[in-house]
Amino acid sequence: MKKAIITGITGQDGAYLAKLLLGKGYEVYGLLARRATATTWRLEYLEILDKVKLIEGDLADITSIIRAVEEAQPDEFYNLGAQSFVGTSWRQPQLTAQATGIGALNCLEAIRIVNPKIKFYQASTSEMFGGIPEYPIQSESTPFHPRSPYGVAKLYAHWITINYRESFDIFGCCGILFNHESPLRGIEFVTRKVTDAAARIKLGVQKELRLGNIDAKRDWGFAGDYVKAMYLMMQQEKPDVYVVATGRTTTVRDMCKIAFDRVGLNYENYIVIDPEFYRPAEVDLLLGDPTKAKEKLDWQAETSLEELINMMVDADIKRVENEMRRAK
Ligand code: NDP
Ligand code: GDP
């Protein structure tokens, strides 16, 4: 039986990846950061909380990662843990650098010390490209120009993974994943904020939706599809870097239209532009070229943006209805 450890197992991707690996017969371990309140709701939602083994640890504490690797003795190590919200990275840049940047170094050091044969996956991001106009489509060869402390921290993690491969022959691969969403997406990200608002407005418990730059364009896919690409990268003979994307880009505005259409409302009547949600530096356009992933991994996105947003709106309607029932 193969063993895997996942940092960020309580996050969106960690939960979907754990479910995928369990389905393939893996023994799955996860690093659980100590928090004041429980963080395992996504594992409960996917009905796998009792099937994974959680080990307490924090990406900023290398000793805890070494201990976790010693305990799990994994074949594969997926580093999905991070302070992952771009907006927060300006307000907490050092914490972001520690968890998102140095965290990856701590994982690689733990592997180097405990067992350099453990394969390593780093969750790199399209935010490293920064979406500058000279490169309207981004592939593995597009130059990086991160536009947030989050993007900068991720770029460090990306390069240190490649450096540990070149320096110590560690199997370190990086998936440059474009935005991917699901009903398990954090509420602070724009898709979930919008689908939750569409549900609440439809059910009469919210009146408006305050957003920042709705002209930004993103290449949005479904997280359930994207974790399959992570797994496939780890099964290749050689570690490499892959862009994982749909190849279609859409404005935040048009994504709002899809969500509000689902509940039969006109989005234009509810959106209020609020400068609070503008960022100090914006990534205007992300559009990934997934050709290499298709050719080398035989991977492609299976869920359209319409299917994804409809799935999220439907899940949020159910959640809000349950909340309202409980409040009665
Ligand atoms: P989430 O924000 O949903 O999950 C992040 C996870 O990291 C949570 O489990 C969180 O734990 C954990 N974490 C945060 N800080 C620490 C720490 N110091 N020590 C240990 N664990 C920590 O992110 P996603 O699932 O959406 O993304 C997974 C990875 O992929 C992230 O690295 C993200 O940056 C990257 N990525 C995501 C994209 C996307 O569109 N979703 C696009 C490209 C890259 P807790 O629950 O306790 O807070
Ligand atoms: P990101 O691509 O990782 O930053 O993912 P987000 O979902 O946080 O943001 C996607 C885009 O939506 C960015 O260009 C944001 O500036 C834009 N956006 C506009 N309004 C909002 C908002 O209210 N919240 C968030 N999170 N993003 C917004």
Side-chain angles (χ1 to χ4, degrees):
M1 188 192 271
K2 269 200 191 175
K3 291 198 274 185
I5 187 164
I6 303 172
T7 71
I9 194 164
T10 56
Q12 169 188 258
D13 292 9
Y16 279 109
L17 178 66
K19 177 134 186 152
L20 177 80
L21 296 178
L22 286 166
K24 292 185 183 298
Y26 279 60
E27 198 173 323
V28 176
Y29 292 80
L31 193 77
L32 183 70
R34 196 214 168 274
R35 306 282 189 240
T37 47
T39 53
T40 48
W41 65 273
R42 292 183 173 96
L43 299 170
E44 282 165 44
Y45 188 98
L46 296 181
E47 298 176 349
I48 55 168
L49 179 57
D50 57 342
K51 299 186 178 68
V52 296
K53 298 183 174 77
L54 300 174
I55 305 175
E56 190 179 318
D58 194 290
L59 282 164
D61 180 347
I62 188 171
T63 59
S64 72
I65 302 178
I66 292 174
R67 205 175 292 125
V69 173
E70 279 174 337
E71 185 180 330
Q73 294 289 338
D75 302 284
E76 297 171 8
F77 188 129
Y78 294 85
N79 182 32
L80 310 187
Q83 188 303 95
S84 70
F85 185 48
V86 170
T88 291
S89 77
W90 278 283
R91 296 183 286 269
Q92 300 191 48
Q94 292 210 8
L95 177 128
T96 304
Q98 282 297 336
T100 308
I102 300 296
L105 173 67
N106 288 341
C107 298
L108 287 159
E109 271 293 278
I111 288 176
R112 188 183 66 77
I113 292 164
V114 178
N115 176 7
K117 296 223 160 0
I118 298 169
K119 290 179 164 185
F120 182 73
Y121 172 85
Q122 170 58 26
S124 292
T125 167
S126 53
E127 289 291 322
M128 300 185 315
F129 294 126
I132 49 174
E134 292 94 301
Y135 302 98
I137 301 177
Q138 299 101 30
S139 71
E140 293 78 5
S141 56
T142 302
F144 297 120
H145 183 142
R147 302 259 296 159
S148 63
Y150 167 76
V152 174
K154 279 285 183 186
L155 194 53
Y156 172 80
H158 180 80
W159 279 113
I160 201 71
T161 302
I162 293 170
N163 178 261
Y164 268 53
R165 184 208 297 163
E166 293 173 355
S167 306
F168 305 116
D169 206 21
I170 286 173
F171 185 107
C173 59
C174 304
I176 307 182
L177 270 55
F178 282 61
N179 299 51
H180 47 280
E181 322 291 315
S182 73
L184 300 186
R185 186 62 144 150
I187 195 80
E188 65 276 33
F189 293 90
V190 77
T191 52
R192 199 45 226 303
K193 183 172 170 180
V194 168
T195 61
D196 176 72
R200 285 179 193 279
I201 291 171
K202 177 69 184 175
L203 295 170
V205 291
Q206 186 171 322
K207 291 211 155 40
E208 60 181 29
L209 167 59
R210 304 186 87 82
L211 292 174
N213 175 18
I214 59 173
D215 294 318
K217 290 181 164 176
R218 288 293 180 274
D219 178 333
W220 281 293
F222 172 46
D225 292 344
Y226 283 36
V227 297
K228 293 180 192 165
M230 300 177 187
Y231 165 76
L232 288 169
M233 282 177 224
M234 292 285 254
Q235 312 315 311
Q236 302 306 300
E237 219 162 275
K238 289 203 174 122
D240 207 343
V241 173
Y242 299 88
V243 158
V244 175
T246 70
R248 168 185 169 192
T249 193
T250 308
T251 58
V252 172
R253 181 194 305 275
D254 288 344
M255 181 270 293
C256 290
K257 180 170 179 349
I258 298 171
F260 279 77
D261 280 354
R262 182 67 171 177
V263 292
L265 297 174
N266 180 354
Y267 76 101
E268 289 171 317
N269 296 338
Y270 302 98
I271 289 178
V272 177
I273 299 303
D274 185 339
E276 189 191 326
F277 297 107
Y278 276 85
R279 290 166 175 185
E282 178 61 288
V283 171
D284 291 316
L285 166 78
L286 290 176
L287 171 59
D289 174 359
T291 306
K292 180 174 172 184
K294 170 78 184 126
E295 285 177 5
K296 297 260 167 77
L297 305 175
D298 195 23
W299 178 90
Q300 63 186 12
E302 290 161 30
T303 312
S304 72
L305 181 61
E306 287 74 11
E307 288 167 334
L308 170 66
I309 296 298
N310 289 347
M311 179 201 317
M312 292 172 69
V313 172
D314 294 352
D316 279 322
I317 290 269
K318 271 198 197 133
R319 279 193 186 109
V320 179
E321 282 174 345
N322 284 340
E323 251 176 49
M324 290 165 72
R325 252 194 302 276
R326 278 198 300 273
K328 265 190 194 154

